[in-house]
């Protein structure tokens, strides 16, 4: 498997009982950084396998990307024999990560107490919708649900004429997945010092509320509040890409230096003395007026003219890129971001690993695995005999390798 054993997590073994996107995104990061990720699937497989397009019915593009570099074993965990076999696999694992509700993983007898009893060094990570000590603990959660519950949808409505709108990316899944990834890595570091593992909880809802409130807690940071929980610049209806004479452009004239440079380039340095533009406080308090006045100016020149001006003035700006544009972006090409591989499914293009390690670089692994394609190999590595493997397969507790 290309990429296996390379990177800062080389030698770490992860039992991955996650599905859909939140958990698989976290474990994709582990695989990219060299961990051996064993994806434990039900006989039906991860539901993202079946989201088209894809080369066959059980390997859609999203699945192939977010499960790259992993191995797949099929286990019917409704059977006691499969659960016992999984506990044997856990004896040599570093991390156990799942995305089931707490009640569901508990009914299977695979909670932290069960796993730590066979391996007290294991890092046990729960990734699910809501923290288990609150009243929402058993509510089902997907990205849209958590976006709605966490304030994201309401905030998006400020930019959509009052119409509630989802962000056009699965932000809840991915932010929670990233949070799960760094939490597990922190626990692995702590284990290096203490010698023992621990349990981690990463609830999507609380993670997204924390994420949203970085800037939006604002005046409600104080008790009693000094203002509402909202960062006005981010929610102003006027906050949108500016229309130029021939298109649109993204511009961030942010600090005092940027504003002075902008007015100098326009030939109106005296505008810096306008009370509305004079300070961060005044611009924030009058953000709607500020953005509308800038929009009126930017509409007078072409995108190319503005890009020349903004580059000269060192003001952050960019033309609006489409997803298709990114596939041929010159910067991404120069940095080698896109990773093309020749696979059994033909040539495939993967997003690169965004972080760089000078001594232990990671590597992109093979596309997401065939359902159960590594079942027998994984069991043998854990010390199961051929007879034990055949017995488990005979009952359907273990899937046969493809």
């Amino acid at each position: 498997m290309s990429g296996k054993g390379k990177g800062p997590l080389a030698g770490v073994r992860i039992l991955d009982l996650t599905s859909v996107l939140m958990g698989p995104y976290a474990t994709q990061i582990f695989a990219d950084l060299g961990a051996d990720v064993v994806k434990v699937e039900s006989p039906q497989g991860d539901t993202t396998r079946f989201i088209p397009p894809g080369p066959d019915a059980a390997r859609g593009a999203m699945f192939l990307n977010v499960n790259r570099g992993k191995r797949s074993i099929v286990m019917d965990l409704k059977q006691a024999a499969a659960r016992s076999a999984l506990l044997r696999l856990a004896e040599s694992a570093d991390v156990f990560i799942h995305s089931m509700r707490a009640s569901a993983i508990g009914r299977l007898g695979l909670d932290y107490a069960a796993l730590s009893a066979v391996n007290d060094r294991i890092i046990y990570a729960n990734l699910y919708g809501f923290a288990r000590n609150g009243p929402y603990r058993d509510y089902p959660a997907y990205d849209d649900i958590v976006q709605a519950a966490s304030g994201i949808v309401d905030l998006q409505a400020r930019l959509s004429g009052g119409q509630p709108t989802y962000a056009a990316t699965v932000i809840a899944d991915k932010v929670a997945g990233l949070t799960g990834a760094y939490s597990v890595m922190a626990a692995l570091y702590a284990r290096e010092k203490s010698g023992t593992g621990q349990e981690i909880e990463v609830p999507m809802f609380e993670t997204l509320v924390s994420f949203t409130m970085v800037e939006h807690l604002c005046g409600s940071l104080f008790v009693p509040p000094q203002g509402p929980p909202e960062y006005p610049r981010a929610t102003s209806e006027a906050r949108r890409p500016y229309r130029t004479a021939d298109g649109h452009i993204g511009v961030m004239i942010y600090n005092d230096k940027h504003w002075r440079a902008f007015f100098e380039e326009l030939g109106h340095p005296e505008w810096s003395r306008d009370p509305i533009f004079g300070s961060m406080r005044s611009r924030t308090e009058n953000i709607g007026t500020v953005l509308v006045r800038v929009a009126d100016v930017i509409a007078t020149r072409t995108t190319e003219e503005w890009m020349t001006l903004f580059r000269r003035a060192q003001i952050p700006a960019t033309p609006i890129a489409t997803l298709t544009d990114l596939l041929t972006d010159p910067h991404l090409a120069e940095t080698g971001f896109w990773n093309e591989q020749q696979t059994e499914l033909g040539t495939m293009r993967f997003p690169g690993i965004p972080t760089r390690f000078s001594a232990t670089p990671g590597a992109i692994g093979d596309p997401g695995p065939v359902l159960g394609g590594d079942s027998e190999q994984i069991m043998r590595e854990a010390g199961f005999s051929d007879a034990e493997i055949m017995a488990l397969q005979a009952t359907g507790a273990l899937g046969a390798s493809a």
Side-chain angles (χ1 to χ4, degrees):
M1 177 175 294
S2 63
K4 183 181 175 184
K6 300 177 181 178
L9 294 182
V12 173
R13 174 164 287 193
I14 294 174
L15 288 179
D16 175 11
L17 275 71
T18 69
S19 61
V20 191
L21 193 60
M22 171 178 56
Y25 181 50
T27 55
Q28 174 215 297
I29 295 169
F30 300 144
D32 286 350
L33 298 182
D36 178 16
V37 178
V38 174
K39 185 175 178 68
V40 181
E41 298 186 72
S42 71
Q44 294 73 40
D46 187 333
T47 55
T48 56
R49 285 182 171 276
F50 310 103
I51 299 175
D56 55 54
R59 285 186 292 178
M62 186 186 303
F63 175 86
L64 290 169
N65 185 23
V66 82
N67 290 286
R68 65 199 191 205
K70 304 175 188 178
R71 299 191 288 167
S72 172
I73 182 172
V74 167
M75 306 184 86
D76 183 1
L77 295 176
K78 295 178 182 178
Q79 298 193 36
R83 296 194 294 273
S84 295
L86 184 64
L87 289 173
R88 274 183 67 179
L89 293 180
E91 292 174 6
S92 59
D94 295 288
V95 177
F96 179 95
I97 181 170
H98 76 88
S99 57
M100 303 179 202
R101 279 176 272 177
S103 57
I105 197 74
R107 285 194 299 270
L108 289 174
L110 295 172
D111 57 11
Y112 177 59
L115 272 291
S116 62
V118 300
N119 180 356
D120 67 358
R121 285 176 54 82
I122 203 160
I123 306 302
Y124 185 105
N126 305 273
L127 274 65
Y128 38 53
F130 302 93
R132 65 186 177 208
N133 62 338
Y136 303 163
R137 67 177 68 87
D138 291 323
Y139 290 177
Y142 286 90
D143 187 272
D144 289 0
I145 303 307
V146 176
Q147 282 198 40
S150 66
I152 294 286
V153 169
D154 179 63
L155 288 168
Q156 289 294 107
R158 317 297 175 85
L159 308 181
S160 305
Q163 181 66 37
T165 307
Y166 295 117
T169 184
V170 284
I171 191 170
D173 274 324
K174 290 188 288 187
V175 169
L178 285 167
T179 303
Y182 77 65
S183 298
V184 167
M185 293 180 200
L188 285 169
Y189 177 71
R191 189 186 70 181
E192 291 303 300
K193 296 187 292 182
S194 69
T196 58
Q198 62 180 298
E199 184 178 15
I200 299 167
E201 183 182 52
V202 184
M204 291 174 72
F205 175 55
E206 283 84 347
T207 298
L208 256 290
V209 172
S210 174
F211 177 83
T212 302
M213 290 299 192
V214 167
E215 76 278 34
H216 285 298
L217 186 56
C218 217
S220 292
L221 174 70
F222 307 98
V223 180
Q226 294 186 14
E230 180 179 336
Y231 177 38
R233 193 197 71 78
T235 58
S236 171
E237 190 173 352
R239 181 191 171 226
R240 60 188 66 229
Y242 293 109
R243 180 181 295 279
T244 65
D246 62 350
H248 289 84
I249 189 171
V251 182
M252 187 63 178
I253 312 170
Y254 187 66
N255 57 37
D256 292 345
K257 180 180 177 181
H258 291 154
W259 284 102
R260 287 193 298 269
F262 180 54
F263 295 140
E264 289 283 349
E265 289 286 345
L266 292 180
H268 291 287
E270 72 279 3
W271 290 3
S272 292
R273 297 190 291 273
D274 187 320
I276 288 179
F277 293 103
S279 67
M280 181 68 77
R281 174 180 288 275
S282 64
R283 292 190 296 270
T284 300
E285 292 174 344
N286 297 279
I287 190 64
T289 300
V290 168
L291 295 177
V292 168
R293 288 175 64 173
V294 172
D296 290 342
V297 173
I298 289 182
T300 63
R301 304 187 191 184
T302 67
T303 299
E304 184 176 354
E305 288 173 323
W306 281 119
M307 285 305 303
T308 299
L309 183 152
F310 289 133
R311 291 280 187 260
R312 185 169 60 241
Q314 291 291 294
I315 292 172
T318 182
I320 306 303
T322 66
L323 299 183
T324 301
D325 292 335
L326 296 178
L327 301 179
T328 56
D329 181 272
H331 177 86
L332 296 177
E334 183 70 20
T335 60
F337 176 80
W338 295 110
N339 186 285
E340 288 195 3
Q341 293 186 18
Q342 298 299 321
T343 75
E344 58 162 331
L345 303 174
T347 303
M348 302 186 72
R349 177 199 292 117
F350 294 100
I353 302 171
T355 54
R356 302 280 178 105
F357 293 79
S358 63
T360 57
I364 303 298
D366 294 335
V370 172
L371 180 61
D374 307 288
S375 294
E376 293 167 14
Q377 178 189 9
I378 291 166
M379 296 295 280
R380 289 193 183 97
E381 290 172 357
F384 285 80
S385 68
D386 287 347
E388 289 175 309
I389 292 171
M390 290 176 65
L392 287 166
Q393 289 174 334
T395 64
L398 175 71
S401 294

